[in-house]
Amino acid sequence: MGYLKAYADSRPSLKGRVEIVLTGYRLQDPDAVAANLLAGVPNLVGFSCYTWNLEFVSLVAKRLKKLRPGVQIVIGGPETSWWGENTLKEGTVDYVVKGEGEATFAELLEHLAGRREPSEVRGLVYLRRGRLVANPPRPLIENLDSIPCPYKSGVLRVPADYRGVVVIETLRGCPYACAFCGWSSQGNRVRFFSVARVLETVRGLLEAS
């Protein structure tokens, strides 16, 4: 989520328009989370989906649509790249981001703000008049250093209860081809952030702590 906001904020038309909301879903029920999200009166709510939160995200999305039918919902993340289309048919999700989400999410926001159909947004799947539309896939980001660092940009900060562990991303992709995993079918080959970028991030975190 930090990367999505940092990338969106790097575009002048989107700066400050994306907010990260940490819902603490393990401690709350879907109705409480939905109400918390809608308190900010969003036009679009996005979820990053993983194996462990799929069911909960689905429940929250249904609550959001019930409480405010006009709100649009987009999902992305590792688990949506090969099964996300199924959620569109349920009617609780409006858009599915397949593959890396930074550019796709930012372009979706720009298209919605311009009141245009997102037909030009690569890597996006959605319904149009009841028909499933899958836009062409988006190529992998070759130069990962081109993505703004969420720590350096101030989107993420060392938490007050810092206990010596901060997560940073040094690479993307997987070198394996396990038959049970959807990553293999996505051609998600390994790419690395530069050593200079990683060291700069680490130095900044050490100074901040």
Side-chain angles (χ1 to χ4, degrees), residues 4 7-8 15 18-19 22 55 82 87 91 104 122 141 189-190 192 196-198 202:
L4 292 175
Y7 192 96
K15 186 172 180 59
V18 176
E19 179 184 357
L22 302 178
E55 183 178 357
W82 54 89
T87 62
T104 302
R122 300 186 70 171
I141 299 173
R189 55 185 171 76
V190 179
F192 297 89
R197 160 72 176 259
V198 174
V202 172

Side-chain angles (χ1 to χ4, degrees), residues 2 14 26 43 46 53 59 61 65 69 73 77 85 90 103 107 113 120 135-136 138 145-146 156 168 174 179 203-204:
L14 300 177
R26 293 183 183 279
N43 296 315
N53 72 348
L59 293 174
K65 286 293 189 180
I73 299 175
E85 291 95 333
E90 297 175 0
E107 290 180 16
E120 301 173 6
N135 291 351
R138 183 176 296 276
D145 286 6
S146 66
L156 299 180
I168 64 172
C174 179
R203 291 191 190 99

